[in-house]
Amino acid sequence: MNPPPAPGAVRPGLRVIAVANQKGGVGKSTTTQNLGFALAERGQRVLLVDLDPQAALTVMCGIAPEDGSPSVAECLNEALPVAGALRRPRAQVWLLPGSGRLGDFETAHATDPAANRRLATVLAKVDQDFDQVLIDAPPSLGLLTVNALVASGEVLVPLQLDFLALNGMKALLQAVDRVRQTDHPGLRVCGILGTMHRGRALHSEEVLSRVRERFGSLVFDAVVRQSVRFPEASAGGVSILEYEPRSPGAQVYRQLAGEVLRRG
């Protein structure tokens, strides 16, 4: 058996970015989907990986997660080659679907010394096929999220512009530091994305100001504002860029894609 790949060991030119936050409901799956589609608009070959047992990203891409189809869970368990689970929801976008079966991963691999690197092993088999890989990590700091971090070169943090969400940033950054120390010294934070900005609400502006003051250039210029267009697009199984291409939401994810590419 070949040894597992070193953390973050992908071919030159490939970006693997974990979209992570231990708090749910911050726009993580929305960001993974729409950033991926915005990168695809720029000619990038994009793989989206749904590592969340809730499989929201999979649903948002128009795929039913519990129809019995193969998912990333079978790939992690070495029961299926990654090519057998890949779906292609759009011309430049591929998806490794999630499913509720991911919920058993942590228990099943609790004693596996290489458990942290299982996703890295899966992605190493397809890294020639893509330019960008975006991993939607679950809203926790468990083994699946550690797999996302170990498999990635970078972390993108969607941060809801709320004081309570800001307080939770510390735990995520500590988790990133632990992965650096134990598995992946080269892991870095790509950036922090302000999400769910409530228009002219003073609270959102105050939190955004504090985030910029504390994290400086790590904070993206792009800020995602709350809009009913996002859940409408998700319900239709499409991205905001397809649902309403000229909307502020579509434009901000195009802006974010440009920032991510420049930071590469």
Side-chain angles (χ1 to χ4, degrees):
M1 180 180 294
N2 294 327
V10 297
R11 67 168 175 81
L14 175 67
R15 300 273 299 279
V16 183
I17 302 174
V19 182
N21 191 319
Q22 82 278 10
K23 186 179 184 300
V26 300
K28 191 167 47 58
S29 299
T30 298
T31 293
T32 306
Q33 180 196 33
N34 290 297
L35 173 58
F37 276 66
L39 289 167
E41 275 191 351
R42 291 170 172 256
Q44 300 285 295
R45 298 169 300 164
V46 179
L47 172 63
L48 306 178
V49 181
D50 190 349
L51 210 60
D52 188 341
Q54 298 177 66
L57 175 62
T58 300
V59 174
M60 290 162 64
C61 289
I63 296 170
E66 298 300 347
D67 62 359
S69 299
S71 74
V72 67
E74 287 71 49
C75 301
L76 292 172
N77 292 328
E78 300 179 332
L80 183 75
V82 63
L86 278 177
R87 306 287 287 270
R88 193 174 185 179
R90 303 296 182 273
Q92 286 285 111
V93 180
W94 288 256
L95 172 72
L96 262 179
S99 73
R101 298 185 293 279
L102 284 165
D104 299 327
F105 180 77
E106 191 152 351
T107 302
H109 298 284
T111 60
D112 178 3
N116 289 359
R117 300 188 178 188
R118 282 187 170 258
L119 182 60
T121 300
V122 168
L123 295 182
K125 296 172 183 175
V126 293
D127 67 1
Q128 295 295 323
D129 300 324
F130 304 104
D131 303 305
Q132 307 278 342
V133 178
L134 303 181
I135 305 169
D136 185 14
S140 71
L141 297 177
L143 185 56
L144 285 170
T145 295
V146 171
N147 262 265
L149 297 177
V150 171
S152 302
E154 304 164 65
V155 187
L156 189 154
V157 185
L159 177 65
Q160 181 182 357
L161 294 174
D162 176 272
F163 282 115
L164 293 178
L166 178 58
N167 291 337
M169 275 285 293
K170 182 177 180 181
L172 176 63
L173 295 179
Q174 287 174 339
V176 171
D177 283 338
R178 285 196 298 271
V179 170
R180 283 194 189 113
Q181 294 166 13
T182 59
D183 290 286
H184 188 355
L187 182 64
R188 70 183 183 92
V189 177
C190 170
I192 299 167
L193 174 69
T195 65
M196 299 188 175
H197 189 293
R198 295 195 298 272
R200 297 179 180 178
L202 182 60
H203 180 78
S204 293
E205 282 298 323
E206 288 178 348
V207 175
L208 181 59
S209 178
R210 288 198 184 187
V211 172
R212 293 196 188 284
E213 182 179 324
R214 180 174 176 183
F215 296 104
S217 61
L218 273 182
V219 183
F220 290 109
D221 292 332
V223 177
V224 182
R225 297 180 181 272
Q226 279 190 332
S227 169
V228 297
R229 299 295 182 244
F230 287 115
E232 288 173 358
S234 298
V238 296
S239 71
I240 192 69
L241 289 86
E242 300 165 292
Y243 181 72
E244 199 165 305
R246 298 183 180 179
S247 67
Q251 296 297 345
V252 79
Y253 276 108
R254 292 188 179 105
Q255 178 186 355
L256 176 63
E259 291 190 70
V260 167
L261 289 173
R262 287 193 295 274
R263 294 187 183 197

PDB file of all heavy atoms in Angstrom, residues 3 13 18 22 26 31 40 44 48 55-56 60 71 86 88 108 113 132 134 138 141 163 169 183 222 246 250 258:
ATOM      1  N   PRO A   3       2.064   4.993   0.834  1.00  0.00           N
ATOM      2  CA  PRO A   3       1.853   5.842   2.004  1.00  0.00           C
ATOM      3  C   PRO A   3       0.926   6.995   1.660  1.00  0.00           C
ATOM      4  O   PRO A   3       0.845   7.422   0.504  1.00  0.00           O
ATOM      5  CB  PRO A   3       3.269   6.342   2.332  1.00  0.00           C
ATOM      6  CG  PRO A   3       4.000   6.269   1.032  1.00  0.00           C
ATOM      7  CD  PRO A   3       3.434   5.082   0.320  1.00  0.00           C
ATOM      8  N   GLY A  13       0.258  24.772  -8.892  1.00  0.00           N
ATOM      9  CA  GLY A  13      -0.805  25.430  -9.630  1.00  0.00           C
ATOM     10  C   GLY A  13      -2.196  25.103  -9.137  1.00  0.00           C
ATOM     11  O   GLY A  13      -3.141  25.826  -9.433  1.00  0.00           O
ATOM     12  N   ALA A  18     -10.111  25.147   2.071  1.00  0.00           N
ATOM     13  CA  ALA A  18     -11.187  24.723   2.972  1.00  0.00           C
ATOM     14  C   ALA A  18     -12.000  25.940   3.368  1.00  0.00           C
ATOM     15  O   ALA A  18     -11.449  26.949   3.825  1.00  0.00           O
ATOM     16  CB  ALA A  18     -10.604  24.059   4.218  1.00  0.00           C
ATOM     17  N   GLN A  22     -16.648  26.866  12.583  1.00  0.00           N
ATOM     18  CA  GLN A  22     -17.318  25.891  13.442  1.00  0.00           C
ATOM     19  C   GLN A  22     -18.747  26.276  13.753  1.00  0.00           C
ATOM     20  O   GLN A  22     -19.527  25.470  14.247  1.00  0.00           O
ATOM     21  CB  GLN A  22     -16.523  25.664  14.733  1.00  0.00           C
ATOM     22  CG  GLN A  22     -16.743  26.691  15.816  1.00  0.00           C
ATOM     23  CD  GLN A  22     -15.905  27.945  15.610  1.00  0.00           C
ATOM     24  OE1 GLN A  22     -15.298  28.134  14.562  1.00  0.00           O
ATOM     25  NE2 GLN A  22     -15.858  28.796  16.616  1.00  0.00           N
ATOM     26  N   VAL A  26     -23.558  30.550   8.763  1.00  0.00           N
ATOM     27  CA  VAL A  26     -22.776  31.765   8.485  1.00  0.00           C
ATOM     28  C   VAL A  26     -22.561  31.990   6.992  1.00  0.00           C
ATOM     29  O   VAL A  26     -21.839  32.906   6.598  1.00  0.00           O
ATOM     30  CB  VAL A  26     -21.410  31.715   9.207  1.00  0.00           C
ATOM     31  CG1 VAL A  26     -21.596  31.603  10.708  1.00  0.00           C
ATOM     32  CG2 VAL A  26     -20.543  30.574   8.683  1.00  0.00           C
ATOM     33  N   THR A  31     -21.095  30.292   0.251  1.00  0.00           N
ATOM     34  CA  THR A  31     -19.812  30.807  -0.225  1.00  0.00           C
ATOM     35  C   THR A  31     -19.075  29.774  -1.055  1.00  0.00           C
ATOM     36  O   THR A  31     -18.512  30.098  -2.116  1.00  0.00           O
ATOM     37  CB  THR A  31     -18.954  31.248   0.977  1.00  0.00           C
ATOM     38  OG1 THR A  31     -19.579  32.389   1.576  1.00  0.00           O
ATOM     39  CG2 THR A  31     -17.540  31.602   0.559  1.00  0.00           C
ATOM     40  N   ALA A  40     -15.264  29.469 -11.883  1.00  0.00           N
ATOM     41  CA  ALA A  40     -15.516  28.770 -13.145  1.00  0.00           C
ATOM     42  C   ALA A  40     -15.802  29.761 -14.268  1.00  0.00           C
ATOM     43  O   ALA A  40     -15.409  29.535 -15.420  1.00  0.00           O
ATOM     44  CB  ALA A  40     -16.683  27.797 -12.983  1.00  0.00           C
ATOM     45  N   GLN A  44     -11.642  28.690 -14.696  1.00  0.00           N
ATOM     46  CA  GLN A  44     -11.029  27.711 -13.799  1.00  0.00           C
ATOM     47  C   GLN A  44     -11.840  26.416 -13.789  1.00  0.00           C
ATOM     48  O   GLN A  44     -13.071  26.437 -13.841  1.00  0.00           O
ATOM     49  CB  GLN A  44     -10.963  28.274 -12.381  1.00  0.00           C
ATOM     50  CG  GLN A  44     -10.170  29.549 -12.250  1.00  0.00           C
ATOM     51  CD  GLN A  44      -8.681  29.309 -12.325  1.00  0.00           C
ATOM     52  OE1 GLN A  44      -8.094  28.656 -11.467  1.00  0.00           O
ATOM     53  NE2 GLN A  44      -8.052  29.818 -13.371  1.00  0.00           N
ATOM     54  N   LEU A  48     -15.944  21.112  -6.239  1.00  0.00           N
ATOM     55  CA  LEU A  48     -16.560  21.394  -4.948  1.00  0.00           C
ATOM     56  C   LEU A  48     -16.668  20.091  -4.172  1.00  0.00           C
ATOM     57  O   LEU A  48     -17.128  19.083  -4.717  1.00  0.00           O
ATOM     58  CB  LEU A  48     -17.955  21.999  -5.138  1.00  0.00           C
ATOM     59  CG  LEU A  48     -18.062  23.236  -6.035  1.00  0.00           C
ATOM     60  CD1 LEU A  48     -19.523  23.680  -6.143  1.00  0.00           C
ATOM     61  CD2 LEU A  48     -17.187  24.372  -5.518  1.00  0.00           C
ATOM     62  N   ALA A  55     -25.150  17.977   3.937  1.00  0.00           N
ATOM     63  CA  ALA A  55     -25.131  17.975   2.464  1.00  0.00           C
ATOM     64  C   ALA A  55     -25.855  19.161   1.849  1.00  0.00           C
ATOM     65  O   ALA A  55     -26.438  19.050   0.777  1.00  0.00           O
ATOM     66  CB  ALA A  55     -25.703  16.658   1.933  1.00  0.00           C
ATOM     67  N   ALA A  56     -25.779  20.328   2.490  1.00  0.00           N
ATOM     68  CA  ALA A  56     -26.451  21.511   1.945  1.00  0.00           C
ATOM     69  C   ALA A  56     -25.881  21.903   0.590  1.00  0.00           C
ATOM     70  O   ALA A  56     -26.624  22.262  -0.336  1.00  0.00           O
ATOM     71  CB  ALA A  56     -26.330  22.669   2.925  1.00  0.00           C
ATOM     72  N   MET A  60     -27.826  22.423  -2.953  1.00  0.00           N
ATOM     73  CA  MET A  60     -27.741  23.706  -3.637  1.00  0.00           C
ATOM     74  C   MET A  60     -27.267  23.561  -5.081  1.00  0.00           C
ATOM     75  O   MET A  60     -27.521  24.433  -5.909  1.00  0.00           O
ATOM     76  CB  MET A  60     -26.821  24.646  -2.857  1.00  0.00           C
ATOM     77  CG  MET A  60     -27.420  25.094  -1.533  1.00  0.00           C
ATOM     78  SD  MET A  60     -26.209  25.770  -0.365  1.00  0.00           S
ATOM     79  CE  MET A  60     -25.675  27.215  -1.249  1.00  0.00           C
ATOM     80  N   SER A  71     -21.288   8.978  -2.677  1.00  0.00           N
ATOM     81  CA  SER A  71     -20.902  10.275  -2.132  1.00  0.00           C
ATOM     82  C   SER A  71     -19.441  10.225  -1.691  1.00  0.00           C
ATOM     83  O   SER A  71     -18.781   9.178  -1.766  1.00  0.00           O
ATOM     84  CB  SER A  71     -21.788  10.633  -0.941  1.00  0.00           C
ATOM     85  OG  SER A  71     -21.446   9.862   0.200  1.00  0.00           O
ATOM     86  N   LEU A  86     -17.921  11.354  -8.513  1.00  0.00           N
ATOM     87  CA  LEU A  86     -17.928  12.707  -9.076  1.00  0.00           C
ATOM     88  C   LEU A  86     -19.195  12.979  -9.875  1.00  0.00           C
ATOM     89  O   LEU A  86     -19.639  12.142 -10.664  1.00  0.00           O
ATOM     90  CB  LEU A  86     -16.715  12.915  -9.984  1.00  0.00           C
ATOM     91  CG  LEU A  86     -15.380  13.275  -9.322  1.00  0.00           C
ATOM     92  CD1 LEU A  86     -14.289  13.351 -10.387  1.00  0.00           C
ATOM     93  CD2 LEU A  86     -15.480  14.596  -8.571  1.00  0.00           C
ATOM     94  N   ARG A  88     -21.132  16.290 -12.223  1.00  0.00           N
ATOM     95  CA  ARG A  88     -20.764  17.499 -12.949  1.00  0.00           C
ATOM     96  C   ARG A  88     -22.005  18.374 -13.151  1.00  0.00           C
ATOM     97  O   ARG A  88     -22.660  18.326 -14.191  1.00  0.00           O
ATOM     98  CB  ARG A  88     -20.142  17.145 -14.302  1.00  0.00           C
ATOM     99  CG  ARG A  88     -19.445  18.327 -14.983  1.00  0.00           C
ATOM    100  CD  ARG A  88     -18.729  17.873 -16.241  1.00  0.00           C
ATOM    101  NE  ARG A  88     -17.964  18.956 -16.832  1.00  0.00           N
ATOM    102  CZ  ARG A  88     -17.229  18.824 -17.936  1.00  0.00           C
ATOM    103  NH1 ARG A  88     -17.181  17.655 -18.569  1.00  0.00           N
ATOM    104  NH2 ARG A  88     -16.563  19.863 -18.416  1.00  0.00           N
ATOM    105  N   ALA A 108     -16.202   5.605  12.979  1.00  0.00           N
ATOM    106  CA  ALA A 108     -15.620   4.490  12.235  1.00  0.00           C
ATOM    107  C   ALA A 108     -14.102   4.548  12.190  1.00  0.00           C
ATOM    108  O   ALA A 108     -13.435   3.518  12.090  1.00  0.00           O
ATOM    109  CB  ALA A 108     -16.187   4.453  10.817  1.00  0.00           C
ATOM    110  N   PRO A 113      -4.743   5.688  12.661  1.00  0.00           N
ATOM    111  CA  PRO A 113      -3.691   6.707  12.820  1.00  0.00           C
ATOM    112  C   PRO A 113      -3.585   7.643  11.615  1.00  0.00           C
ATOM    113  O   PRO A 113      -3.033   8.736  11.732  1.00  0.00           O
ATOM    114  CB  PRO A 113      -2.412   5.881  13.002  1.00  0.00           C
ATOM    115  CG  PRO A 113      -2.724   4.550  12.405  1.00  0.00           C
ATOM    116  CD  PRO A 113      -4.181   4.329  12.631  1.00  0.00           C
ATOM    117  N   GLN A 132      -8.943  24.507  -9.110  1.00  0.00           N
ATOM    118  CA  GLN A 132      -9.366  24.966  -7.789  1.00  0.00           C
ATOM    119  C   GLN A 132     -10.223  23.884  -7.135  1.00  0.00           C
ATOM    120  O   GLN A 132     -11.131  23.356  -7.775  1.00  0.00           O
ATOM    121  CB  GLN A 132     -10.206  26.251  -7.894  1.00  0.00           C
ATOM    122  CG  GLN A 132      -9.574  27.381  -8.673  1.00  0.00           C
ATOM    123  CD  GLN A 132      -8.586  28.184  -7.857  1.00  0.00           C
ATOM    124  OE1 GLN A 132      -8.590  28.133  -6.613  1.00  0.00           O
ATOM    125  NE2 GLN A 132      -7.753  28.971  -8.518  1.00  0.00           N
ATOM    126  N   LEU A 134     -12.561  23.510  -3.693  1.00  0.00           N
ATOM    127  CA  LEU A 134     -13.162  24.182  -2.537  1.00  0.00           C
ATOM    128  C   LEU A 134     -13.878  23.142  -1.689  1.00  0.00           C
ATOM    129  O   LEU A 134     -14.745  22.421  -2.193  1.00  0.00           O
ATOM    130  CB  LEU A 134     -14.150  25.256  -2.979  1.00  0.00           C
ATOM    131  CG  LEU A 134     -13.630  26.352  -3.911  1.00  0.00           C
ATOM    132  CD1 LEU A 134     -14.741  27.337  -4.234  1.00  0.00           C
ATOM    133  CD2 LEU A 134     -12.438  27.082  -3.287  1.00  0.00           C
ATOM    134  N   PRO A 138     -17.802  20.831   7.640  1.00  0.00           N
ATOM    135  CA  PRO A 138     -18.986  20.878   8.518  1.00  0.00           C
ATOM    136  C   PRO A 138     -18.826  21.922   9.613  1.00  0.00           C
ATOM    137  O   PRO A 138     -17.703  22.341   9.931  1.00  0.00           O
ATOM    138  CB  PRO A 138     -19.054  19.461   9.099  1.00  0.00           C
ATOM    139  CG  PRO A 138     -17.669  18.940   8.986  1.00  0.00           C
ATOM    140  CD  PRO A 138     -17.060  19.571   7.781  1.00  0.00           C
ATOM    141  N   LEU A 141     -15.515  21.260  14.823  1.00  0.00           N
ATOM    142  CA  LEU A 141     -14.058  21.152  14.762  1.00  0.00           C
ATOM    143  C   LEU A 141     -13.638  19.693  14.928  1.00  0.00           C
ATOM    144  O   LEU A 141     -12.576  19.399  15.470  1.00  0.00           O
ATOM    145  CB  LEU A 141     -13.416  22.041  15.831  1.00  0.00           C
ATOM    146  CG  LEU A 141     -13.678  23.539  15.672  1.00  0.00           C
ATOM    147  CD1 LEU A 141     -13.068  24.319  16.831  1.00  0.00           C
ATOM    148  CD2 LEU A 141     -13.144  24.053  14.339  1.00  0.00           C
ATOM    149  N   PHE A 163     -21.525  40.015  16.686  1.00  0.00           N
ATOM    150  CA  PHE A 163     -20.516  39.957  17.754  1.00  0.00           C
ATOM    151  C   PHE A 163     -20.310  38.545  18.289  1.00  0.00           C
ATOM    152  O   PHE A 163     -19.186  38.150  18.597  1.00  0.00           O
ATOM    153  CB  PHE A 163     -20.894  40.909  18.896  1.00  0.00           C
ATOM    154  CG  PHE A 163     -20.581  42.346  18.594  1.00  0.00           C
ATOM    155  CD1 PHE A 163     -21.603  43.278  18.467  1.00  0.00           C
ATOM    156  CD2 PHE A 163     -19.277  42.770  18.408  1.00  0.00           C
ATOM    157  CE1 PHE A 163     -21.326  44.607  18.183  1.00  0.00           C
ATOM    158  CE2 PHE A 163     -18.983  44.092  18.115  1.00  0.00           C
ATOM    159  CZ  PHE A 163     -20.014  45.017  18.007  1.00  0.00           C
ATOM    160  N   MET A 169     -14.482  33.088  16.424  1.00  0.00           N
ATOM    161  CA  MET A 169     -13.325  33.000  15.524  1.00  0.00           C
ATOM    162  C   MET A 169     -12.099  32.418  16.222  1.00  0.00           C
ATOM    163  O   MET A 169     -11.291  31.728  15.619  1.00  0.00           O
ATOM    164  CB  MET A 169     -12.975  34.393  14.991  1.00  0.00           C
ATOM    165  CG  MET A 169     -13.760  34.814  13.784  1.00  0.00           C
ATOM    166  SD  MET A 169     -13.191  33.973  12.286  1.00  0.00           S
ATOM    167  CE  MET A 169     -11.556  34.678  12.115  1.00  0.00           C
ATOM    168  N   ASP A 183       0.083  18.367  11.848  1.00  0.00           N
ATOM    169  CA  ASP A 183      -0.075  17.685  10.564  1.00  0.00           C
ATOM    170  C   ASP A 183       0.395  18.479   9.354  1.00  0.00           C
ATOM    171  O   ASP A 183       0.837  17.898   8.368  1.00  0.00           O
ATOM    172  CB  ASP A 183      -1.558  17.328  10.327  1.00  0.00           C
ATOM    173  CG  ASP A 183      -2.050  16.233  11.257  1.00  0.00           C
ATOM    174  OD1 ASP A 183      -1.668  15.074  11.027  1.00  0.00           O
ATOM    175  OD2 ASP A 183      -2.814  16.526  12.194  1.00  0.00           O
ATOM    176  N   ALA A 222     -14.501  42.247  -0.397  1.00  0.00           N
ATOM    177  CA  ALA A 222     -15.855  41.779  -0.684  1.00  0.00           C
ATOM    178  C   ALA A 222     -16.600  41.522   0.626  1.00  0.00           C
ATOM    179  O   ALA A 222     -16.043  40.933   1.562  1.00  0.00           O
ATOM    180  CB  ALA A 222     -15.815  40.503  -1.521  1.00  0.00           C
ATOM    181  N   ARG A 246     -26.912  39.611 -12.516  1.00  0.00           N
ATOM    182  CA  ARG A 246     -26.549  41.018 -12.313  1.00  0.00           C
ATOM    183  C   ARG A 246     -26.862  41.514 -10.911  1.00  0.00           C
ATOM    184  O   ARG A 246     -26.714  42.704 -10.618  1.00  0.00           O
ATOM    185  CB  ARG A 246     -27.281  41.896 -13.338  1.00  0.00           C
ATOM    186  CG  ARG A 246     -26.893  41.574 -14.775  1.00  0.00           C
ATOM    187  CD  ARG A 246     -27.580  42.498 -15.755  1.00  0.00           C
ATOM    188  NE  ARG A 246     -27.218  42.188 -17.127  1.00  0.00           N
ATOM    189  CZ  ARG A 246     -27.679  42.827 -18.198  1.00  0.00           C
ATOM    190  NH1 ARG A 246     -28.534  43.830 -18.042  1.00  0.00           N
ATOM    191  NH2 ARG A 246     -27.297  42.475 -19.406  1.00  0.00           N
ATOM    192  N   ALA A 250     -24.436  38.275  -6.819  1.00  0.00           N
ATOM    193  CA  ALA A 250     -23.589  37.679  -7.860  1.00  0.00           C
ATOM    194  C   ALA A 250     -22.319  38.501  -8.049  1.00  0.00           C
ATOM    195  O   ALA A 250     -21.213  37.950  -8.179  1.00  0.00           O
ATOM    196  CB  ALA A 250     -24.370  37.590  -9.175  1.00  0.00           C
ATOM    197  N   GLY A 258     -12.019  37.275  -7.755  1.00  0.00           N
ATOM    198  CA  GLY A 258     -10.849  38.028  -8.162  1.00  0.00           C
ATOM    199  C   GLY A 258      -9.842  38.195  -7.033  1.00  0.00           C
ATOM    200  O   GLY A 258      -8.628  38.057  -7.232  1.00  0.00           O
TER     201      GLY A 258
END
